[in-house]
């Protein structure tokens, strides 16, 4: 697990600095140690801890009005997602990892092309985002897009979205624990990362916007391709 811990902290750092999608990297990494349903549970726990770290480090950046609105919708989305994900076959879960990752790469590459800009409302950005994140899909961009459309900078968006993510994420975790068996020792393997995640976010906050854009693009695309490639055996097994 040491290799996972090291790579996970790199994901936390880059997620804070250049906003790479955390779930799309952590899901394939955890597939080397756990079955798909447990991967989704542990990834959600990992991302909740990351969100807590951002809140602690970026507390002064939170816009509470928007955070509260998204959190309320996210609570219900997390509950519904946490219930339904438990009945999805493992193969479909792994396929969702891949399709979500490939779609993210496609949208990222096409992001500079002229297109009709849609204003995502609180329901789509709160409820729907939390619901689909329970399935390991990287749809946090909807929540962030809702906040970016209000003119906030990256640290403000990340801190405010973290409040909503914690609410939806904990709702998913608790819902799944109520009707699915999970070993406590599995959660410990993620919980021990928290102090290191907190320190990593603190360091990352100091270098936001300091990595050249062309290098950011390469990191986001190639790191995601490597993560997805590492999980191919679990898709075809």
């Amino acid at each position: 697990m040491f290799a996972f811990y090291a790579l996970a902290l790199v994901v936390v750092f880059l997620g804070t600095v250049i906003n790479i999608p955390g779930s799309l990297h952590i899901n394939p990494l955890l597939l080397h140690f756990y079955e798909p349903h447990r991967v989704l549970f542990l990834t959600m726990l990992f991302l909740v801890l990351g969100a807590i770290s951002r809140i602690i480090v970026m507390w002064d950046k939170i816009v509470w009005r928007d955070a509260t609105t998204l959190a309320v919708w996210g609570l219900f989305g997390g509950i519904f997602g946490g219930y339904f994900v438990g009945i999805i076959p493992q193969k479909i879960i792994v396929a969702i990892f891949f399709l979500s990752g490939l779609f993210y790469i496609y949208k990222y590459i096409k992001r500079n092309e002229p297109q009709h800009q849609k204003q995502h409302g609180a329901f789509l950005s709160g409820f729907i985002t939390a619901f689909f994140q329970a399935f390991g899909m990287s749809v946090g961009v909807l929540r962030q897009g809702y906040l970016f459309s209000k003119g906030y900078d990256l640290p403000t968006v990340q801190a405010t979205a973290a409040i909503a993510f914690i609410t939806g994420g904990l709702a998913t975790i608790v819902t799944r624990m109520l009707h699915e068996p999970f070993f406590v020792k599995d959660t410990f393997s993620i919980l021990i990362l928290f102090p290191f995640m907190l320190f990593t976010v603190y360091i990352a906050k100091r270098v936001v916007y300091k990595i050249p854009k062309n290098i950011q693009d390469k990191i986001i695309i190639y790191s995601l391709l490597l993560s997805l490639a590492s999980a191919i055996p679990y898709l075809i097994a």
Side-chain angles (χ1 to χ4, degrees):
M1 288 287 288
F2 177 78
F4 165 74
Y5 291 145
L7 290 172
L9 291 177
V10 171
V11 170
V12 172
F13 178 83
L14 293 177
T16 304
V17 175
I18 61 176
N19 211 30
I20 67 170
S23 62
L24 295 183
H25 289 80
I26 299 301
N27 283 331
L29 292 176
L30 283 176
L31 273 177
H32 295 283
F33 306 98
Y34 303 100
E35 56 87 20
H37 281 96
R38 193 157 297 177
V39 165
L40 288 178
F41 180 85
L42 295 176
T43 295
M44 184 63 73
L45 178 60
F46 175 88
L47 295 176
V48 165
L49 293 178
I52 293 174
S53 300
R54 287 193 174 96
I55 289 172
I56 293 174
V57 175
M58 304 177 182
W59 181 266
D60 59 321
K61 291 287 187 177
I62 299 173
V63 181
W64 287 101
R65 181 185 64 258
D66 292 315
T68 302
T69 300
L70 292 175
V72 171
W73 283 114
L75 174 65
F76 293 105
I79 292 173
F80 277 90
Y83 176 78
F84 286 107
V85 72
I87 61 178
I88 300 295
Q90 295 185 16
K91 281 280 189 178
I92 294 180
I93 291 176
V94 178
I96 288 174
F97 294 167
F98 274 81
L99 293 176
S100 182
L102 293 175
F103 182 71
Y104 183 94
I105 292 174
Y106 170 77
K107 294 294 290 184
Y108 189 83
I109 292 174
K110 296 288 187 179
R111 71 192 185 284
N112 293 324
E113 293 186 3
Q115 51 187 299
H116 178 64
Q117 296 295 319
K118 296 181 179 180
Q119 294 292 327
H120 301 300
F123 174 76
L124 182 63
S125 305
F127 180 90
I128 299 299
T129 299
F131 178 82
F132 282 110
Q133 282 185 334
F135 295 83
M137 299 178 66
S138 182
V139 289
V141 65
L142 295 177
R143 186 189 296 123
Q144 293 183 356
Y146 173 77
L147 295 171
F148 275 126
S149 70
K150 294 176 176 287
Y152 303 140
D153 60 11
L154 179 59
T156 300
V157 167
Q158 290 186 338
T160 304
I163 295 291
F165 186 90
I166 288 176
T167 305
L170 288 178
T172 298
I173 289 172
V174 172
T175 301
R176 295 195 62 189
M177 290 180 69
L178 290 176
H179 66 91
E180 293 182 58
F182 284 100
F183 296 108
V184 176
K185 66 177 182 179
D186 292 340
T187 64
F188 287 155
S189 65
I190 301 298
L191 291 174
I192 61 176
L193 268 174
F194 179 66
F196 302 99
M197 295 170 74
L198 187 60
F199 177 74
T200 300
V201 172
Y202 173 77
I203 297 299
K205 182 184 177 183
R206 294 176 167 271
V207 296
V208 171
Y209 300 126
K210 293 184 178 180
I211 298 179
K213 191 67 176 64
N214 63 321
I215 296 180
Q216 290 184 30
D217 294 341
K218 290 184 174 63
I219 292 175
I220 290 173
I221 293 175
Y222 291 125
S223 65
L224 186 50
L225 285 173
L226 285 173
S227 294
L228 294 177
S230 71
I232 288 177
Y234 303 93
L235 181 65
I236 62 179

